[in-house]
Amino acid sequence: MGETMIQVKDLRVNFRAWAGTVQAVRGVNFELKKGETLAIVGESGSGKSVTTKAILGILPSNARITSGEILYNGKDLTKLKEKEFYDIRGKHISLVFQDPLSALNPIQKVGKQICEALKKNEHMSNGEAKKRAIALMEDVGIPEPETKFSQYPFQFSGGMRQRIVIAIALACNPEILICDEPTTALDVTIQSRILDKIKELKAEHDLSVIFITHDLGVVAGIADRVCVMYAGKIVEYGTVDDIFYEPAHPYTWALLSSMPDLDTKEKLFSIPGAPPNMMYPPKGDAFAPRNRYAMEIDFEQEPPFFKVSDTHYAATWLLHPKAPKVELPEVLKHRIQRMKEEREGA
Amino acid sequence: MAKYILKRIAGIFIVLFVVMTAAFFMMRLMPGGILDGVEENLSADMRDLIYAKYNMDKPIWEQYLLFLKGIVTEWDWGVSLKLYVNVSVWDILAERIPITLYLGFLSLLISVPIGIAFGTLAALKKNGIVDHAVSFLVVLFISIPSFVMATGLQYFVAYKWGWFPLIYDDSLPRITTTFLPVLALSFSPIATITRYLRAELSESLNSDYMLLARTKGLTRVQATMRHALRNSLVPVVNVIVPAFISIMGGSLVVESIFGIPGLGGITVRSINVADYSVTLASLIYYTLISLAAILLVDISYGLIDPRIRMGGSKDA
């Protein structure tokens, strides 16, 4: 894992809404290294999808990038014109959508939808594109690709449609694949198969992946590094082991505690309250009102990132040398214990 | 598909029969008749003779059966009773239908592409000044009936400025002499199609498949033309039928305003003088053309949207 593929620096995105300005992303920093899978985790509305849309230049028209840079190949993607994106989208950076049921054009044959990308980016002839599309369909695990090539999306199941979307994303051998909750709309058995497929394809095509999800269970299986997002900011980041075994931010604790596992006997934890209204982001730590470990300073001043280890950082005042020592919640301790045992057992 | 079309055609005949029957009885059971206004001057014998000539002395259901029999066996639609006495209704219609169809189809032919162009423009520039301008015109043109438009055009363009003939003139090329009436008929369908397409397209433009098309690397124009536009045409096709029918309805009056010897004018006149056979025949014609338009649209639906075409067969 060496060179940096994408570096996001202090990205801020605002939405102009009827009632005011929504600050969807408020200064996000992260980088994607070659060959790694970076998971971005957070609740709905935490700004995960907006961040990825900014990378691809497909933000809705009422969104504005107010500051920050997205560096890719020495270029700042936030400064690119629509025209310059035509050579990046699909060819270098691709996106897999959340909802395969609505991502495909309902009245066009799936084969044609795959070929379209090939013809545009690789300038293939019809024949070549068809051959490659069928190979791709086979690659993503679609049985009888020759027959399926000339069928319409409504003749496919949800899982099969997501495979087609993945095939489209991979058609032109991109370096970076962004998966925006690719399994959320699918049922659990299909979920694991799609995840395995993504992992397999990632190795095969030497991809760097940004994986957006709200499901920590999915993260554990697929990610190398994890960023936890809350209210438009990253609150904690580290390797997957850092986040799961030594979580440092109370929000990460809360997320981990509210994830059920097979041995959950007690009532499942849920985070009290609701995320803040991003039209009026709160002063201090945005999570403070829902945080039972919140201190006075959390309501006054925003915490900076504190180093936990070389790979692991978290933005919480609890890590300040002067802060009182807080124990992990009991439930979470047990859960982490179980996760560790499970892993050693496996 | 063939089976579907045959089924639909059979359906058309059933509807046509019901309309025909209802129209026949309603017209004949209304007070008044072909001798209104001249009855006092006729002797009773004379009157009976005229009634007998047109089978009006028989019970009404027998008259209806005779009417049907005439059509089925000899394509005999009866004769005009008042407007062109004793001239075959079929001959009257055959002479007038072409010009009315010409007006209707030309107007539709103009409306659909212009409506699609304006609708696309408005959707792409949504909430901008172009969109507001288009939307303003749409409301204006939907609200103004075609006969008001026709009168206005006739007064300004033809009378004041003299660019086009005031009324229909056989000696001029058809396109010049029918230009204003076609224009008058086109405003409302253009506005209707624009309005629908704007709504549909601005929804399609925000759809996930548009985003996917753009993430493939397609340009905005390519993505719009190939993905969003075709998807939003599906519902728009559906307003073409009402648009066409409203064109036909408008031509009833607009033809009279410009003195065009079409079916519209004669239909209105035949109703005014109770020329039953002419009224009935033109009514049947209008029914038939509307049903045919609906059939055509339903078939083209299937061409645009595979989900409708393949709906029944589960060969997936």
Side-chain angles (χ1 to χ4, degrees), chain B residues 26-89:
Chain B
M26 273 196 283
M27 268 189 298
R28 300 305 288 274
L29 294 176
M30 274 194 292
I34 54 167
L35 296 181
D36 285 352
V38 289
E39 207 166 0
E40 308 84 71
N41 308 335
L42 294 174
S43 65
D45 285 351
M46 226 13 198
R47 201 183 58 210
D48 289 346
L49 220 66
I50 291 172
Y51 278 154
K53 183 166 157 63
Y54 300 118
N55 291 329
M56 285 183 190
D57 53 344
K58 301 191 172 70
I60 189 141
W61 58 267
E62 204 181 330
Q63 289 180 40
Y64 181 61
L65 290 181
L66 282 169
F67 169 72
L68 282 185
K69 193 182 147 215
I71 293 173
V72 175
T73 55
E74 303 165 44
W75 197 244
D76 174 14
W77 289 77
V79 292
S80 169
L81 304 173
K82 285 196 90 168
L83 288 173
Y84 304 91
V85 179
N86 281 349
V87 178
S88 147
V89 170

Side-chain angles (χ1 to χ4, degrees), chain B residues 170-225:
Chain B
D170 233 351
S171 59
L172 293 170
R174 199 172 243 191
I175 191 84
T176 342
T177 187
T178 55
F179 184 83
L180 290 183
V182 167
L183 198 63
L185 288 172
S186 304
F187 280 112
S188 152
I190 288 175
T192 314
I193 292 168
T194 302
R195 193 168 63 104
Y196 269 84
L197 191 67
R198 177 187 177 274
E200 289 299 331
L201 190 59
S202 36
E203 205 178 305
S204 301
L205 284 175
N206 286 321
S207 66
D208 278 0
Y209 56 78
M210 261 303 277
L211 266 193
L212 180 80
R214 284 179 64 205
T215 59
K216 277 184 208 171
L218 296 188
T219 66
R220 214 184 273 268
V221 175
Q222 283 172 329
T224 308
M225 297 306 278

Side-chain angles (χ1 to χ4, degrees), chain B residues 210-284:
Chain B
M210 261 303 277
L211 266 193
L212 180 80
R214 284 179 64 205
T215 59
K216 277 184 208 171
L218 296 188
T219 66
R220 214 184 273 268
V221 175
Q222 283 172 329
T224 308
M225 297 306 278
R226 291 188 204 164
H227 295 279
L229 193 57
R230 199 171 149 214
N231 268 291
S232 38
L233 281 183
V234 179
V236 169
V237 163
N238 216 19
V239 303
I240 289 178
V241 174
F244 183 68
I245 290 170
S246 89
I247 290 175
M248 288 315 229
S251 80
L252 282 179
V253 186
V254 172
E255 279 180 18
S256 307
I257 293 173
F258 285 96
I260 294 169
L263 197 60
I266 198 144
T267 306
V268 176
R269 278 194 290 151
S270 74
I271 292 170
N272 286 339
V273 300
D275 193 339
Y276 299 134
S277 45
V278 175
T279 312
L280 188 61
S282 46
L283 192 78
I284 290 167

